[in-house]
Amino acid sequence: MKILVPIKRVVDPYVKVRVKADETDVELANLKMAINPFCEIAVEEAVRLKEKGHADEIIAVSIGLKVAQEQLRTAMALGADRGILVEHDDALEPLSVAKVLKAVIDKEQPSLVLFGKQSIDGDNNQTAQMTAALAGMGQATFASSVDVDGDQIKVAREIDGGIQTLSLKLPAVVSADLRLNEPRYASLPNIMKAKRKPLDIVTVADFELQLGSHQKTLKVTAPAERSGGVMVGSVEELVDKLKNEAKVV
Amino acid sequence: MAILIIAEVDKQGLSADCAKVVGAASALGQDLHLLVASDNAATAAEQGAKLAGITKVLVADNAAYAHQMAEPVADLVLELAADYSHILAAASAKGKDMLPRVAALLDVAQHSDVIAIESDDTFVRPIYAGNALATVQSLDEKKVLTIRTSAFDAVAEQAPAEIHALDSVKSSELTQFVGEELVESERPELGAARVVISGGRGLGSGENFALIEQLADKLGAAIGASRAAVDAGFVANDLQVGQTGKIVAPDLYIAVGISGAIQHLAGMKESKVIVAINKDPDAPIFQIADYGLEADLFEAVPKLTELL
C-alpha cells in the first residue's frame, strides 16, 4: 500500500520564540527551522510499516515555502521514497491545508495518510481530522501504536485517562502521538541517497482550489510574565512559606 | 442564534469540564443548548440540564454514539448546526478529535484551545507552546471553538432545563471501537485537581515515582509528569503535563526533578503557586517558580512529605 505523510516546516522545538515589537506575529527571521517533531514520528512509523512489508511506497508531502524542500529531503533521508512540495508563499490555515491535502489524496490515492497530531507552531491539532472529514475517511488521532491487517488498521490511541483501540477501514487517516515511536537518525549514506530521490514541485494554483480566508489574526502578544519568585534555603522554610505565605496547604 | 455545546460523557456521567465550557459559552450569548450524544446518556443529560445558563439539553441516546467517536457525532452536529452561531467543546482528547471534523464539514475554521473570549467573533489562544498569544477574529458565519477549560470557571447549578430527545441516528462504518483501557486511580483527575505534583527525569526511574505518590497522598494531589519522564518510560503518557499533554492550572503545582523545558511550562505556568525542587540551580523552572528549592529530591521530597 501507499502511505502519504504530510510534513510541516516549523521553528526548531528547542528555540524559544519571541513576539515582534509591533505585535503582528512572532519573530522567525534567522531562527533554526526543522521538521515538526510529530511529523517526524509519522515518517518513522511509515518507514517501519514499509520495513514490515505493509507498505510499498511512502510519499512525503509538504505545503509551503520553497525552502520546505529541506524538510522533504529530511523525510526522504529517513526513508520516504519521494516528495511532493505544494508551493505556497503565504501561511495557510489548517482548513486550507486540509483542502490541498484532499486534492493530493485524490491524485495519489494512498491507503493511509499518516500525520503528526499537531504542529508545534500553531498548536492547532486540526489538520489530520479536517483532512479525514474532507476525504470521507475514518480517523484515529493521537496514535500510540499502529497495526495493519489486510484492509483494516488497528490503532491504539491516547485518550484522557487511558488508551482506546480502534479498527479502521482503509483508506484512513491516523495522527501520531509522542509514544508511537522514537524516530531514527538519518545516516550519511541515506542523506546522500535522499538527494537523488524524486521531489515534485507543484503549486496550490495547480489544484484549482478555492481557498478562502476564515480568520484574521488581530495581534500576537507575549503572555504575562510570572514575577520571579524566591529561592528557599530548606524544606522547613518551604513548608513555612506554603503554609503561612501562600496558604495553599 | 443559540449556542451549541457538545457535552462529554465519562463513566461518572457528564464530564467535569462541561461546566467550564458552559462558563466560557456564557460570554457568547444567552441561549445555550447542550448536546449529549452518547449511549446511556440519561444521567449526563440530567446533570447537564442543571448547569446554570443551559436553556435546553438535546439528547441523542443511541449505541451509534457509544464512546463519542468523532465520525458519527460530527455527522450529528453537522445536521444540527444550521440553528447555531457557535459550536463549542472542551479541548479534551474527545473535543480535539471531533470538533475539527465538524468545522471542516461546515467549511469553517476551528479555533483551538481558546483561553479568552473578547467578543462573539474574537478569541485569544496560545501558539508556540504558550510563548505567544494570538488574538484571532473569525470571518466565518459559524464559529467552532475548543475551550481550554483551565482558563474558565465552572458555572453553578440551576433548576433543570428542558430535556429534548433527538431521534436522529448517524452510524459510521468507517471506524469501529475495539476496546478501552482506562487507568483506575483513587487520586483526583489531573485536569481538575487542586494540587498537582509532577515528576521529571530527575527521578531516575519509574519506581522512584513512589516518592511523588507518597507526597500526593499526603496532599490529596494528582500526579503529573514531564515529557522527559514519559519518554523515559517512567509513567504513562496520560500523565504528561505540557504543550501536547494535559494543561493544568491548580492552586499548587510542585515540580520535582523537572528542568522546565518550554513544552512543559506551556502546560502548567497558569498554576497559582508553583514550587520547584531541583538540584540544578540553573534549571529554567526556577525562573517561573514562586518558591524554588535547590536540593536533592531524594532527600527533600520525603522530608516535605513528613513535614506537611
Side-chain angles (χ1 to χ4, degrees):
Chain A
M1 73 176 184
K2 206 191 249 191
I3 304 179
L4 188 72
V5 187
I7 60 171
K8 188 174 186 186
R9 174 185 171 90
V10 298
V11 67
D12 183 279
Y14 296 102
V15 170
K16 185 169 186 222
V17 298
R18 290 184 194 288
V19 168
K20 283 184 182 175
D22 65 2
E23 297 193 336
T24 54
D25 202 350
V26 295
E27 186 59 73
L28 291 178
N30 306 317
L31 291 185
K32 188 179 169 207
M33 302 298 279
I35 181 170
N36 178 46
F38 289 98
C39 303
E40 206 175 352
I41 294 173
V43 172
E44 173 67 29
E45 196 63 22
V47 174
R48 291 185 189 189
L49 288 172
K50 190 177 172 191
E51 287 169 349
K52 284 183 201 155
H54 293 306
D56 32 47
E57 190 182 29
I58 302 166
I59 308 160
V61 55
S62 192
I63 301 161
L65 300 174
K66 189 174 233 117
V67 283
Q69 287 182 49
E70 286 170 34
Q71 281 64 46
L72 286 168
R73 291 289 173 203
T74 305
M76 289 190 269
L78 294 171
D81 298 293
R82 61 186 169 98
I84 301 172
L85 174 64
V86 186
E87 224 183 292
H88 194 76
D89 287 339
D90 304 314
L92 286 175
E93 299 169 11
L95 181 59
S96 298
V97 173
K99 287 178 181 175
V100 175
L101 289 173
K102 159 74 165 66
V104 174
I105 289 167
D106 287 345
K107 181 162 178 283
E108 296 289 345
Q109 299 287 318
S111 299
L112 180 62
V113 190
L114 196 45
F115 284 81
K117 74 166 177 178
Q118 85 187 54
S119 65
I120 57 152
D121 49 4
D123 280 342
N124 284 299
N125 194 333
Q126 299 173 1
T127 308
Q129 297 89 315
M130 287 182 156
T131 305
L134 298 179
M137 293 182 191
Q139 67 184 50
T141 47
F142 326 138
S144 58
S145 86
V146 169
D147 274 307
V148 175
D149 182 13
D151 63 347
Q152 298 274 322
I153 185 167
K154 205 158 133 190
V155 179
R157 52 186 299 265
E158 313 262 351
I159 57 168
D160 294 328
I163 299 279
Q164 183 182 68
T165 306
L166 302 178
S167 171
L168 289 83
K169 199 186 285 181
L170 295 175
V173 168
V174 171
S175 81
D177 211 323
L178 210 56
R179 275 203 301 185
L180 183 56
N181 61 50
E182 182 129 355
R184 68 194 69 189
Y185 287 98
S187 68
L188 188 59
N190 284 341
I191 293 170
M192 300 311 289
K193 245 190 262 172
K195 292 184 176 165
R196 294 191 298 274
K197 288 183 177 174
L199 198 172
D200 290 332
I201 299 178
V202 292
T203 70
V204 167
D206 295 336
F207 292 108
E208 295 175 5
L209 288 167
Q210 294 296 320
L211 300 180
S213 193
H214 296 270
Q215 53 185 302
K216 191 168 131 192
T217 300
L218 302 180
K219 62 177 176 181
V220 174
T221 52
E225 291 276 324
R226 284 189 79 93
S227 53
V230 294
M231 294 300 288
V232 294
S234 67
V235 175
E236 288 81 0
E237 193 185 339
L238 175 62
V239 170
D240 176 63
K241 296 267 191 197
L242 291 177
K243 283 187 172 157
N244 302 315
E245 193 176 270
K247 297 189 169 68
V248 283
V249 292
Chain B
M1 265 203 277
I3 290 154
L4 185 66
I5 298 157
I6 304 170
E8 192 169 321
V9 180
D10 56 29
K11 52 185 189 300
Q12 279 83 39
L14 195 70
S15 147
D17 278 349
C18 195
K20 296 181 177 180
V21 181
V22 176
S26 305
L28 292 165
Q30 301 299 318
D31 203 4
L32 310 181
H33 295 185
L34 186 72
L35 171 66
V36 184
S38 176
D39 59 341
N40 298 316
T43 311
E46 281 163 27
Q47 291 166 334
K50 288 187 212 154
L51 294 176
I54 294 293
T55 53
K56 192 200 266 188
V57 178
L58 305 172
V59 189
D61 193 338
N62 194 286
Y65 306 117
H67 311 289
Q68 304 193 292
M69 307 262 283
E71 295 86 351
V73 178
D75 287 347
L76 176 66
V77 175
L78 189 67
E79 186 177 275
L80 301 171
D83 297 334
Y84 297 96
S85 59
H86 295 74
I87 301 172
L88 280 71
S92 60
K94 279 180 188 164
K96 287 175 177 176
D97 188 43
M98 171 207 307
L99 218 54
R101 207 169 166 105
V102 171
L105 295 172
L106 288 169
D107 196 29
V108 302
Q110 181 193 278
H111 306 278
S112 298
D113 270 300
V114 168
I115 56 165
I117 291 172
E118 301 215 323
S119 72
D120 64 356
D121 68 355
T122 304
F123 318 108
V124 182
R125 56 175 304 267
I127 54 176
Y128 291 93
N131 282 308
L133 301 178
T135 304
V136 291
Q137 183 176 31
S138 165
L139 306 176
D140 294 315
E141 201 177 316
K142 277 183 206 312
K143 283 84 172 158
V144 174
L145 322 176
T146 61
I147 299 297
R148 180 172 288 188
T149 48
S150 62
F152 294 91
D153 292 329
V155 293
E157 293 214 334
Q158 65 175 12
E162 169 206 354
I163 296 179
H164 175 81
L166 297 173
D167 50 15
S168 177
V169 177
K170 304 282 179 189
S171 56
S172 169
E173 301 295 310
L174 296 171
T175 306
Q176 303 297 324
F177 176 84
V178 176
E180 207 162 71
E181 270 178 63
L182 298 177
V183 180
E184 296 289 337
S185 174
E186 297 293 308
R187 294 202 175 80
E189 203 261 313
L190 190 52
R194 201 187 65 80
V195 181
V196 173
I197 305 171
S198 286
R201 190 155 35 198
L203 278 154
S205 74
E207 288 75 50
N208 289 337
F209 255 79
L211 288 177
I212 302 289
E213 286 167 14
Q214 286 154 14
L215 182 55
D217 288 341
K218 192 84 180 256
L219 290 171
I223 290 180
S226 68
R227 173 178 165 173
V230 172
D231 274 358
F234 298 172
V235 289
N237 190 45
D238 61 323
L239 296 187
Q240 189 200 330
V241 172
Q243 180 185 17
T244 66
K246 295 271 186 346
I247 308 289
V248 301
D251 291 346
L252 173 61
Y253 188 89
I254 305 181
V256 178
I258 289 177
S259 62
I262 298 168
Q263 289 78 12
H264 183 75
L265 302 186
M268 46 65 79
K269 65 182 179 185
E270 300 305 320
S271 306
K272 290 197 183 70
V273 174
I274 297 173
V275 172
I277 301 173
N278 200 305
K279 65 180 175 192
D280 173 11
D282 298 323
I285 190 94
F286 286 131
Q287 289 162 26
I288 68 147
D290 298 279
Y291 302 110
L293 175 63
E294 182 194 333
D296 183 340
L297 69 92
F298 294 104
E299 289 164 19
V301 175
K303 196 161 179 190
L304 185 59
T305 307
E306 183 193 316
L307 291 176
L308 281 170

PDB file of all heavy atoms in Angstrom, chain B residues 166-180:
ATOM      1  N   LEU B 166     -33.449  13.555  20.764  1.00  0.00           N
ATOM      2  CA  LEU B 166     -33.268  13.572  19.307  1.00  0.00           C
ATOM      3  C   LEU B 166     -33.379  12.138  18.807  1.00  0.00           C
ATOM      4  O   LEU B 166     -32.838  11.227  19.436  1.00  0.00           O
ATOM      5  CB  LEU B 166     -31.876  14.104  18.943  1.00  0.00           C
ATOM      6  CG  LEU B 166     -31.523  15.537  19.325  1.00  0.00           C
ATOM      7  CD1 LEU B 166     -30.056  15.795  19.020  1.00  0.00           C
ATOM      8  CD2 LEU B 166     -32.399  16.526  18.575  1.00  0.00           C
ATOM      9  N   ASP B 167     -34.039  11.945  17.689  1.00  0.00           N
ATOM     10  CA  ASP B 167     -34.122  10.561  17.199  1.00  0.00           C
ATOM     11  C   ASP B 167     -33.200  10.308  16.011  1.00  0.00           C
ATOM     12  O   ASP B 167     -33.183   9.234  15.438  1.00  0.00           O
ATOM     13  CB  ASP B 167     -35.573  10.163  16.895  1.00  0.00           C
ATOM     14  CG  ASP B 167     -36.260  11.191  16.026  1.00  0.00           C
ATOM     15  OD1 ASP B 167     -35.542  12.029  15.454  1.00  0.00           O
ATOM     16  OD2 ASP B 167     -37.506  11.164  15.944  1.00  0.00           O
ATOM     17  N   SER B 168     -32.425  11.303  15.649  1.00  0.00           N
ATOM     18  CA  SER B 168     -31.521  11.137  14.512  1.00  0.00           C
ATOM     19  C   SER B 168     -30.368  10.191  14.870  1.00  0.00           C
ATOM     20  O   SER B 168     -29.733  10.349  15.908  1.00  0.00           O
ATOM     21  CB  SER B 168     -30.969  12.506  14.126  1.00  0.00           C
ATOM     22  OG  SER B 168     -30.052  12.371  13.099  1.00  0.00           O
ATOM     23  N   VAL B 169     -30.112   9.220  14.045  1.00  0.00           N
ATOM     24  CA  VAL B 169     -29.012   8.274  14.299  1.00  0.00           C
ATOM     25  C   VAL B 169     -28.045   8.301  13.128  1.00  0.00           C
ATOM     26  O   VAL B 169     -28.430   8.047  11.990  1.00  0.00           O
ATOM     27  CB  VAL B 169     -29.553   6.836  14.487  1.00  0.00           C
ATOM     28  CG1 VAL B 169     -28.395   5.869  14.667  1.00  0.00           C
ATOM     29  CG2 VAL B 169     -30.485   6.779  15.682  1.00  0.00           C
ATOM     30  N   LYS B 170     -26.835   8.664  13.417  1.00  0.00           N
ATOM     31  CA  LYS B 170     -25.799   8.691  12.383  1.00  0.00           C
ATOM     32  C   LYS B 170     -24.812   7.572  12.686  1.00  0.00           C
ATOM     33  O   LYS B 170     -24.063   7.656  13.647  1.00  0.00           O
ATOM     34  CB  LYS B 170     -25.047  10.027  12.413  1.00  0.00           C
ATOM     35  CG  LYS B 170     -25.924  11.248  12.284  1.00  0.00           C
ATOM     36  CD  LYS B 170     -26.320  11.438  10.851  1.00  0.00           C
ATOM     37  CE  LYS B 170     -27.229  12.645  10.703  1.00  0.00           C
ATOM     38  NZ  LYS B 170     -27.795  12.713   9.338  1.00  0.00           N
ATOM     39  N   SER B 171     -24.840   6.534  11.920  1.00  0.00           N
ATOM     40  CA  SER B 171     -23.862   5.496  12.204  1.00  0.00           C
ATOM     41  C   SER B 171     -22.774   5.556  11.150  1.00  0.00           C
ATOM     42  O   SER B 171     -23.013   5.916  10.002  1.00  0.00           O
ATOM     43  CB  SER B 171     -24.529   4.129  12.232  1.00  0.00           C
ATOM     44  OG  SER B 171     -25.187   3.904  11.022  1.00  0.00           O
ATOM     45  N   SER B 172     -21.578   5.254  11.586  1.00  0.00           N
ATOM     46  CA  SER B 172     -20.442   5.314  10.675  1.00  0.00           C
ATOM     47  C   SER B 172     -19.802   3.937  10.572  1.00  0.00           C
ATOM     48  O   SER B 172     -19.550   3.281  11.576  1.00  0.00           O
ATOM     49  CB  SER B 172     -19.421   6.327  11.196  1.00  0.00           C
ATOM     50  OG  SER B 172     -18.234   6.194  10.473  1.00  0.00           O
ATOM     51  N   GLU B 173     -19.565   3.529   9.364  1.00  0.00           N
ATOM     52  CA  GLU B 173     -18.920   2.228   9.144  1.00  0.00           C
ATOM     53  C   GLU B 173     -17.397   2.376   9.091  1.00  0.00           C
ATOM     54  O   GLU B 173     -16.670   1.396   9.004  1.00  0.00           O
ATOM     55  CB  GLU B 173     -19.387   1.628   7.805  1.00  0.00           C
ATOM     56  CG  GLU B 173     -20.891   1.427   7.709  1.00  0.00           C
ATOM     57  CD  GLU B 173     -21.383   0.393   8.710  1.00  0.00           C
ATOM     58  OE1 GLU B 173     -20.790  -0.701   8.753  1.00  0.00           O
ATOM     59  OE2 GLU B 173     -22.328   0.685   9.462  1.00  0.00           O
ATOM     60  N   LEU B 174     -16.947   3.622   9.125  1.00  0.00           N
ATOM     61  CA  LEU B 174     -15.525   3.861   8.873  1.00  0.00           C
ATOM     62  C   LEU B 174     -14.631   3.365  10.001  1.00  0.00           C
ATOM     63  O   LEU B 174     -13.560   2.836   9.779  1.00  0.00           O
ATOM     64  CB  LEU B 174     -15.280   5.357   8.665  1.00  0.00           C
ATOM     65  CG  LEU B 174     -15.956   5.991   7.437  1.00  0.00           C
ATOM     66  CD1 LEU B 174     -15.816   7.504   7.495  1.00  0.00           C
ATOM     67  CD2 LEU B 174     -15.323   5.451   6.162  1.00  0.00           C
ATOM     68  N   THR B 175     -15.100   3.563  11.224  1.00  0.00           N
ATOM     69  CA  THR B 175     -14.251   3.302  12.385  1.00  0.00           C
ATOM     70  C   THR B 175     -15.014   2.483  13.409  1.00  0.00           C
ATOM     71  O   THR B 175     -16.143   2.809  13.737  1.00  0.00           O
ATOM     72  CB  THR B 175     -13.825   4.652  13.020  1.00  0.00           C
ATOM     73  OG1 THR B 175     -13.243   5.454  12.002  1.00  0.00           O
ATOM     74  CG2 THR B 175     -12.811   4.453  14.112  1.00  0.00           C
ATOM     75  N   GLN B 176     -14.402   1.421  13.870  1.00  0.00           N
ATOM     76  CA  GLN B 176     -15.038   0.568  14.876  1.00  0.00           C
ATOM     77  C   GLN B 176     -14.268   0.650  16.189  1.00  0.00           C
ATOM     78  O   GLN B 176     -13.044   0.602  16.198  1.00  0.00           O
ATOM     79  CB  GLN B 176     -15.041  -0.906  14.411  1.00  0.00           C
ATOM     80  CG  GLN B 176     -15.724  -1.147  13.074  1.00  0.00           C
ATOM     81  CD  GLN B 176     -17.204  -0.800  13.108  1.00  0.00           C
ATOM     82  OE1 GLN B 176     -17.874  -1.013  14.117  1.00  0.00           O
ATOM     83  NE2 GLN B 176     -17.711  -0.230  12.022  1.00  0.00           N
ATOM     84  N   PHE B 177     -15.030   0.713  17.271  1.00  0.00           N
ATOM     85  CA  PHE B 177     -14.429   0.673  18.606  1.00  0.00           C
ATOM     86  C   PHE B 177     -14.025  -0.764  18.925  1.00  0.00           C
ATOM     87  O   PHE B 177     -14.810  -1.683  18.723  1.00  0.00           O
ATOM     88  CB  PHE B 177     -15.459   1.170  19.617  1.00  0.00           C
ATOM     89  CG  PHE B 177     -15.004   1.089  21.044  1.00  0.00           C
ATOM     90  CD1 PHE B 177     -14.239   2.085  21.602  1.00  0.00           C
ATOM     91  CD2 PHE B 177     -15.357  -0.006  21.825  1.00  0.00           C
ATOM     92  CE1 PHE B 177     -13.818   2.007  22.920  1.00  0.00           C
ATOM     93  CE2 PHE B 177     -14.939  -0.088  23.146  1.00  0.00           C
ATOM     94  CZ  PHE B 177     -14.175   0.918  23.691  1.00  0.00           C
ATOM     95  N   VAL B 178     -12.803  -0.961  19.387  1.00  0.00           N
ATOM     96  CA  VAL B 178     -12.338  -2.310  19.729  1.00  0.00           C
ATOM     97  C   VAL B 178     -12.277  -2.484  21.249  1.00  0.00           C
ATOM     98  O   VAL B 178     -12.768  -3.466  21.797  1.00  0.00           O
ATOM     99  CB  VAL B 178     -10.956  -2.610  19.103  1.00  0.00           C
ATOM    100  CG1 VAL B 178     -10.445  -3.974  19.545  1.00  0.00           C
ATOM    101  CG2 VAL B 178     -11.036  -2.526  17.583  1.00  0.00           C
ATOM    102  N   GLY B 179     -11.697  -1.527  21.933  1.00  0.00           N
ATOM    103  CA  GLY B 179     -11.581  -1.655  23.383  1.00  0.00           C
ATOM    104  C   GLY B 179     -10.996  -0.411  24.003  1.00  0.00           C
ATOM    105  O   GLY B 179     -10.574   0.520  23.298  1.00  0.00           O
ATOM    106  N   GLU B 180     -10.995  -0.395  25.327  1.00  0.00           N
ATOM    107  CA  GLU B 180     -10.515   0.770  26.039  1.00  0.00           C
ATOM    108  C   GLU B 180      -9.894   0.320  27.346  1.00  0.00           C
ATOM    109  O   GLU B 180     -10.447  -0.554  28.004  1.00  0.00           O
ATOM    110  CB  GLU B 180     -11.712   1.677  26.335  1.00  0.00           C
ATOM    111  CG  GLU B 180     -11.386   3.129  26.474  1.00  0.00           C
ATOM    112  CD  GLU B 180     -12.655   3.980  26.330  1.00  0.00           C
ATOM    113  OE1 GLU B 180     -13.493   3.951  27.236  1.00  0.00           O
ATOM    114  OE2 GLU B 180     -12.783   4.644  25.308  1.00  0.00           O
TER     115      GLU B 180
END
